[in-house]
Every structure is written in structure tokens, then in C-alpha cells.
Amino acid sequence: MIDSDYLLDRLLQLVKTPSPVGMTDRAVALVDTWLRDLGYSPKYTRRGVLYVEVGDGPPRRALAAHLDTLGAMVTELKPNGRLSLRNTGTWAARFAEGARVTIFSDHAEHRGTILPLKASGHRFNTEVDTQPADWDNLEIRIDAILPDREALVAAGFNVGDMVAIDAQPEVVDGFIVSRHLDDKAGCATLLAVLKSIAEGHTKVAVPFQAMFTIAEEINIGGTHGFGPEVEELLAIDNAVTAPNQTSRDDAVTIAMRDRQGPFDARMTRQMLTVCEQNGIRYERDTFRHYRSDSAAAVEAGWDIRVGLVCFSLDSSHGWERTHLASLQALAALLKGYIETEMFNTEGQLS
């Protein structure tokens, strides 16, 4: 019912398409094309969130995954011909060291590498290991002969240029290892479910919006764009696979709470019921240092119920890894949810 080859192909294309928060146009355009190929009619909010309305009648549900990823921005043109940078979105400088990047100036794209200030082992010896991992201790070495600041200016570089981090995806025995799986794996899974609907394999019980948000990494992805009849939002994002967490590589995770607090009990019960009735492997988990589009919607004042379902993700906001089995379980849960009527206040089908 869910085309796993399509899901994986779309995921690999997405992670290879730069979309750091603040510069998501390319990924949005790509998803727009895919949606039109499936027969949908994409729409946009003023801020640029892409969505489609699915089913007969005004949407009463929303499903959201975010296309924006972590990235960086140029903060200084340095006298040594290199670039200072600062992260966009919350991620550690230690995961930036050594990354290959593209710098987007006003009129060109340039390749480079993020390096610590002391990068040459033959010059600095053990100081390479003892220097702190901090954004103030990093710079971009550009792959061009640019000896000083004047050369950078002449080449068209500016403070505020966006920096996209190479994903470098690899597929190994069902594992997908790559940067930016958060949340492009969620977007690819949602696309695969939309394909199943378009081909008649999934029936829509309640009209819904499928939303591809563009600023979740700076906490404003799910703040707007819902239709006036939307009653509940299901965010699709990553689960924390780490010590003292229950999430696992071969299952979907139903989040019970995040940093903001517990999720809606009715929605959570519905996700559990769908998994149990359809034999979908799942885990329950709680996240202490994590929020999603659902939290943003509540904080923005939307009067809607919210939930969160997740694919597995090891080393989130670093060198990330998920497994196709987890994405398949997530897709099966989304399919079951879409095919099920809404639960009432007693936790039963309405």
C-alpha cells in the first residue's frame, strides 16, 4: 500500500537539495512539483508554507512535516580570506567541524569546508585536539584563491550569505545515514502516503491539510496556515534514539510529551489504537529537550488538539541515522490515522 521505493527516492533527493532554515525555496519547489505530479493542487501561506487539501470538504485535520534543516550564516569576511559563521537552528559546533558546505552569495554558489581555527596538525600538533568546539572557533575555508578580505569582497561574498551543509547520504542494509533526515524523512514519508491516497490505496475518512512547514528549526514552523475548521494537528518528526529513551530503529514512536508538556490524550489514544489494530510496531516515548510544529501551534494560540508521531533518529542534529523499517511503520500509522474517523471526548470513534 505504501511505495517504499518512492519514499526512499524522495528522501534521498530531498536531503541532497539545500534547504537551510531561511532558504527553503529549492526544496519547496521540488515538493510542489511532486505534489502536482500526483494530481494535487498545492497552496501557500504568505510566509511560504506549502500545503494541499485532501478529501471532500473543509479540512478538519492537519498533518505537518518540516522541510527546513539546520544550516549557518556568514557573520564576517575575515582578513585571512576566510569566513566566520554562526549556526541557524540549534546544533553543536562539534558536528560542523569538517563539514563540506555550499555558500550562497547574491549571484553565485561557492564550495568550502568548515574548519576549526587550528586545523593543521603539522603546525599546531596537539592544540588541534585541545581547542574548544565552539562556533566562535570555526571558519569556512573557501575552495578558491582568496588571500584576504578584499578578495572576498571582489568575489561577491557578504555578511548574511547562507551556508548549506552537505548531507552526504548513504544507504546501508536498510539504514539511511545522512545529515538533514530531520525532518526530510518525515516529509518523504508524508509524500509516500499522499501517493497512496492518489492511487486509491488509502481512503480519507476526514478531510485534512498536508503541510510542509519551513521554519520549524527556529520554532515558528507550525505557527500558522491552518484552515478555520481544523480541529487537530498531527506533527511528523524525529524520535530520540539515545540512552534512557525507548525509541528504536525498527518502530514508529508515539510521543507522549515533549518539552512543552503532554500531548492531547484523545489523539495519543487514537495513535495507539491504530497501531494495535493494524499490527504496527511502535514505542511510546517522552522528550525532555525537544519540541515540534505541534508545540509551535499551541504556543501561537491555535485552538486545536495536537499530537506527535516520529521515525527513529540516532545522533539527531548531528550525523543522523534512521531505518527504512521505522519509516514504513510511520507510513502505516499515518495511513491508518487518515482512514479512521476522529475520536470523541470519551476516546471512541465519533
Side-chain angles (χ1 to χ4, degrees):
M1 297 298 183
I2 302 296
D3 188 338
S4 295
D5 291 336
Y6 177 90
L7 191 163
L8 181 58
D9 175 76
R10 294 305 184 259
L11 173 53
L12 294 177
Q13 290 194 55
L14 279 175
V15 296
K16 293 175 184 177
T17 303
S19 61
V21 60
M23 197 197 81
T24 54
D25 289 355
R26 295 187 184 192
V28 169
L30 190 60
V31 173
D32 182 294
T33 298
W34 292 337
L35 291 170
R36 293 181 191 277
D37 289 344
L38 292 173
Y40 294 104
S41 300
K43 299 180 180 181
Y44 292 86
T45 68
R46 291 187 182 92
R47 290 182 182 174
V49 171
L50 167 64
Y51 68 95
V52 292
E53 297 178 348
V54 186
D56 298 325
R60 295 176 60 204
R61 285 172 169 165
L63 283 73
H66 67 91
L67 280 168
D68 59 299
T69 67
L70 303 168
M73 179 178 283
V74 173
T75 57
E76 180 188 0
L77 310 188
K78 299 181 67 174
N80 64 355
R82 299 191 177 190
L83 304 172
S84 295
L85 71 159
R86 182 61 56 177
N87 54 313
T88 52
T90 304
W91 60 300
R94 68 178 66 251
F95 282 116
E97 292 184 3
R100 293 287 291 163
V101 302
T102 301
I103 308 101
F104 295 87
S105 64
D106 290 349
H107 304 293
E109 300 175 13
H110 311 268
R111 294 290 289 162
T113 306
I114 299 176
L115 295 174
L117 300 184
K118 297 177 180 178
S120 175
H122 287 86
R123 166 62 179 84
F124 296 105
N125 198 12
T126 58
E127 292 180 72
V128 174
D129 295 321
T130 58
Q131 64 188 318
D134 184 85
W135 287 96
D136 291 331
N137 204 46
L138 297 177
E139 62 185 7
I140 300 176
R141 179 190 67 195
I142 305 159
D143 297 332
I145 299 175
L146 299 166
D148 50 34
R149 186 182 188 283
E150 289 70 25
L152 289 171
V153 172
F157 289 95
N158 288 285
V159 169
D161 288 345
M162 298 298 300
V163 180
I165 315 302
D166 283 11
Q168 297 179 256
E170 184 177 354
V171 181
V172 183
D173 294 333
F175 284 106
I176 303 103
V177 183
S178 178
R179 297 183 194 256
H180 311 319
L181 296 175
D182 173 15
D183 183 30
K184 290 183 173 179
C187 291
T189 304
L190 180 55
L191 283 164
V193 174
L194 289 170
K195 179 176 185 287
S196 177
I197 294 170
E199 294 175 344
H201 302 306
T202 296
K203 305 301 181 183
V204 179
V206 179
F208 70 94
Q209 285 177 262
M211 306 177 70
F212 297 87
T213 67
I214 57 172
E216 190 274 346
E217 296 294 358
I218 55 173
N219 301 326
I220 59 174
T223 57
H224 73 291
F226 306 103
E229 304 300 323
V230 170
E231 300 175 38
E232 58 185 39
L233 164 65
L234 184 65
I236 304 161
D237 216 315
N238 72 88
V240 181
T241 306
N244 304 316
Q245 301 290 155
T246 63
S247 302
R248 50 189 280 179
D249 290 327
D250 59 350
V252 63
T253 296
I254 299 170
M256 308 304 290
R257 64 170 293 165
D258 66 1
R259 191 176 72 193
Q260 185 193 60
F263 289 106
D264 180 80
R266 269 185 282 172
M267 291 192 68
T268 301
R269 171 49 53 194
Q270 184 158 14
M271 299 308 113
L272 296 170
T273 299
V274 168
C275 286
E276 290 161 359
Q277 290 181 346
N278 292 278
I280 301 167
R281 181 168 290 178
Y282 73 94
E283 296 288 344
R284 309 182 192 203
D285 212 343
T286 63
F287 306 130
R288 291 185 297 168
H289 306 293
Y290 169 32
R291 65 196 298 284
S292 66
D293 279 330
S294 58
V298 171
E299 291 171 0
W302 285 93
D303 182 20
I304 53 178
R305 297 185 296 275
V306 295
L308 173 65
V309 291
C310 310
F311 56 91
S312 69
L313 196 71
D314 186 67
S315 184
S316 59
H317 286 200
W319 276 109
E320 298 173 339
R321 189 185 76 170
T322 190
H323 197 282
L324 188 58
S326 181
L327 301 181
Q328 291 168 330
L330 171 61
L333 172 54
L334 296 179
K335 181 180 187 298
Y337 171 63
I338 289 166
E339 291 184 326
T340 305
E341 295 289 344
M342 300 176 82
F343 272 29
N344 59 28
T345 55
E346 287 74 42
Q348 304 296 326
L349 289 177
S350 58

